[in-house]
C-alpha cells in the first residue's frame, strides 16, 4: 500500500514537471520577444546552473566521473548550447505550441534512428513498423504532404534543428549518464551550455540589466528555475522511483503544456495536421518500446 502511494506521488510530480517543460515553450517565446535569442539562451542555463547547485547539495549528489564521462558532458553541453539558441531563435519566428509539439514528437524518432545507424541496434519487424508510422507522423508535422518543402522556412527549420540536436544530446547522455550521477551530469552540462551561450551573447551586453525590461527578467527567471532546475530535478528523482521505461511515457504530456499555454497567451490555434502528426509519432514511440507479451503456459 505504501509503495502504491509513493508511486502515485511521483506520477503526480512527473506530470507537473512535464507540464512546466511544455509551458517553457510559451515562456521562451515571451523572453525572445523582449530580448534576443543570444541573451535569452545564455541566461536560461546560467540561472539553471546556479539554482541547481543547492538541489545537488541537498540530494548529496556524488560529484565524480571519469575522463570519458567528462568528454560526454562537454559534448552534451556544447550541443545543448546549440539547441538552446535554436530554441529561442525558432520561437522568435514561430509558434510556441507548434514548436513544443514538433520537437517533442520528432526527437524520440530521430534518437531511435541514430541508435540504429550508429550503434547497430537490432530492430524487430514490429519496431520497423513503428518507425514507419513515426516517419509518417514526422512528414505530417513537417507539413510535407500539404506544403512540400515549405518546412525549410525559418519557423520549421529552427524547430527541426532543435529535434535533431536534442536527439544527438540524448544519444550521448545515454552513454554519459552511466559514468556519472544524472544530477551531476546535468549540472556540468548546464554550466558548459551557459558558458558557450555567454560567448555569443557578449556582443549584446547580457549583463546590462537595465537594457532588458521586467517582463524578460521575470520570464527568463521562471524558465531557468521552474522548467529548468525544478522540473529537471523532479524528472530525475521520479525516474529513479518509477523506472526509466515508465518515465519516458510522461514526455507525451509536454505538448499539452505547450499547446494550452500558447493558446492562452498568444491565442495560437494548433492545426489538426500537427495534432495528428504528434499522435502518430507518439504511437510510434509506444510501439517501438512495447515489450512482447509473454505467453503463459498452462
Amino acid at each position: 500500500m505504501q509503495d502504491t502511494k509513493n508511486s502515485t506521488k511521483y506520477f503526480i510530480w512527473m506530470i507537473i514537471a512535464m507540464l512546466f517543460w511544455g509551458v517553457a515553450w510559451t515562456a521562451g517565446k515571451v523572453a525572445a520577444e523582449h530580448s534576443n535569442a543570444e541573451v535569452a539562451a545564455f541566461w536560461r542555463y546560467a540561472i539553471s546552473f546556479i539554482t541547481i547547485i543547492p538541489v545537488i547539495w541537498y540530494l548529496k549528489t556524488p560529484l565524480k566521473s571519469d575522463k570519458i564521462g567528462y568528454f560526454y558532458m562537454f559534448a552534451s553541453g556544447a550541443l545543448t548550447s546549440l539547441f538552446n539558441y535554436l530554441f529561442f531563435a525558432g520561437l522568435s519566428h514561430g509558434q510556441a505550441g507548434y514548436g513544443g509539439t514538433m520537437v517533442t514528437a520528432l526527437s524520440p524518432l530521430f534518437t531511435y534512428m541514430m541508435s540504429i545507424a550508429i550503434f547497430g541496434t537490432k530492430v524487430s519487424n514490429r519496431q520497423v513498423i513503428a518507425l514507419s508510422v513515426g516517419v509518417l507522423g514526422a512528414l505530417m508535422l513537417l507539413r510535407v504532404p500539404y506544403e512540400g518543402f515549405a518546412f525549410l522556412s525559418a519557423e520549421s527549420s529552427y524547430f527541426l534543428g532543435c529535434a535533431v540536436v536534442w536527439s544527438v544530446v540524448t544519444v550521448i547522455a545515454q552513454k554519459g549518464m552511466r559514468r556519472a550521477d544524472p544530477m551531476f551530469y546535468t549540472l556540468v552540462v548546464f554550466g558548459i551550455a551557459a558558458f558557450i551561450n555567454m560567448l555569443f551573447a557578449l556582443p549584446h551586453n547580457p549583463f546590462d540589466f537595465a537594457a532588458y525590461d521586467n517582463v524578460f527578467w521575470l520570464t527568463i527567471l521562471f524558465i531557468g528555475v521552474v522548467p529548468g532546475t525544478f522540473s529537471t530535478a523532479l524528472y530525475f528523482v521520479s525516474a529513479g522511483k518509477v523506472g526509466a521505461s515508465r518515465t519516458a511515457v510522461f514526455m507525451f504530456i509536454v505538448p499539452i503544456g505547450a499547446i494550452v499555454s500558447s493558446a492562452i497567451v498568444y491565442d495560437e490555434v494548433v492545426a489538426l495536421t500537427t495534432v495528428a502528426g504528434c499522435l502518430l509519432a507518439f504511437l510510434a514511440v509506444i510501439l517501438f518500446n512495447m515489450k512482447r507479451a509473454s505467453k503463459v503456459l498452462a
Side-chain angles (χ1 to χ4, degrees):
M1 181 65 72
Q2 187 63 34
D3 290 340
T4 302
K5 289 183 178 179
N6 288 335
S7 296
T8 301
K9 178 180 68 175
Y10 288 114
F11 284 149
I12 294 173
W13 280 120
M14 186 65 75
I15 291 172
I16 294 173
M18 297 301 100
L19 288 174
F20 276 133
W21 274 356
V23 173
W25 285 88
T26 302
K29 184 172 180 62
V30 174
E33 290 177 342
H34 287 260
S35 60
N36 54 67
E38 291 82 3
V39 171
F42 161 60
W43 279 112
R44 175 192 189 178
Y45 279 124
I47 292 171
S48 292
F49 173 74
I50 294 170
T51 54
I52 204 173
I53 293 175
V55 178
I56 287 179
W57 175 82
Y58 176 78
L59 295 175
K60 298 180 180 179
T61 301
L63 308 179
K64 60 181 180 180
S65 184
D66 55 22
K67 292 181 179 179
I68 298 177
Y70 285 116
F71 171 78
Y72 285 137
M73 291 179 202
F74 178 82
S76 290
L79 287 170
T80 298
S81 70
L82 175 59
F83 168 85
N84 203 20
Y85 170 75
L86 293 173
F87 172 88
F88 285 105
L91 289 172
S92 66
H93 290 88
Q95 294 184 331
Y98 176 60
T101 302
M102 177 179 173
V103 175
T104 307
L106 293 184
S107 290
L109 299 177
F110 291 155
T111 300
Y112 294 142
M113 292 177 182
M114 289 178 188
S115 296
I116 294 170
I118 297 174
F119 302 116
T121 303
K122 295 181 180 179
V123 293
S124 64
N125 291 333
R126 171 178 50 79
Q127 290 174 323
V128 171
I129 294 174
L131 288 174
S132 300
V133 173
V135 169
L136 177 60
L139 291 175
M140 292 189 68
L141 281 167
L142 294 173
R143 302 166 181 166
V144 173
Y146 315 97
E147 302 177 9
F149 290 97
F151 70 86
L152 295 176
S153 64
E155 174 185 2
S156 295
S157 59
Y158 280 120
F159 293 143
L160 178 60
C162 279
V164 173
V165 172
W166 194 251
S167 300
V168 179
V169 171
T170 301
V171 171
I172 294 174
Q174 290 174 351
K175 296 289 186 179
M177 286 190 183
R178 297 173 184 173
R179 298 177 176 273
D181 185 280
M183 290 297 292
F184 176 55
Y185 186 96
T186 303
L187 170 71
V188 176
V189 169
F190 279 176
I192 293 172
F195 178 76
I196 294 175
N197 285 137
M198 182 189 71
L199 297 179
F200 291 94
L202 287 176
H204 303 277
N205 302 313
F207 298 104
D208 184 1
F209 299 106
Y212 304 98
D213 60 20
N214 290 334
V215 173
F216 168 74
W217 290 116
L218 289 174
T219 305
I220 205 67
L221 186 64
F222 167 80
I223 297 172
V225 175
V226 182
T229 297
F230 179 71
S231 292
T232 299
L234 282 180
Y235 179 83
F236 285 129
V237 171
S238 298
K241 300 295 182 180
V242 303
S245 59
R246 286 181 169 182
T247 300
V249 178
F250 283 91
M251 291 297 293
F252 300 161
I253 298 173
V254 174
I256 297 175
I259 291 171
V260 173
S261 60
S262 64
I264 294 174
V265 177
Y266 288 102
D267 293 325
E268 291 181 3
V269 178
V270 178
L272 289 177
T273 54
T274 300
V275 176
C278 181
L279 292 175
L280 284 174
F282 289 163
L283 175 62
V285 173
I286 293 174
L287 289 175
F288 195 93
N289 286 293
M290 187 180 297
K291 295 181 179 180
R292 187 184 300 274
S294 60
K295 296 180 179 181
V296 179
L297 300 177

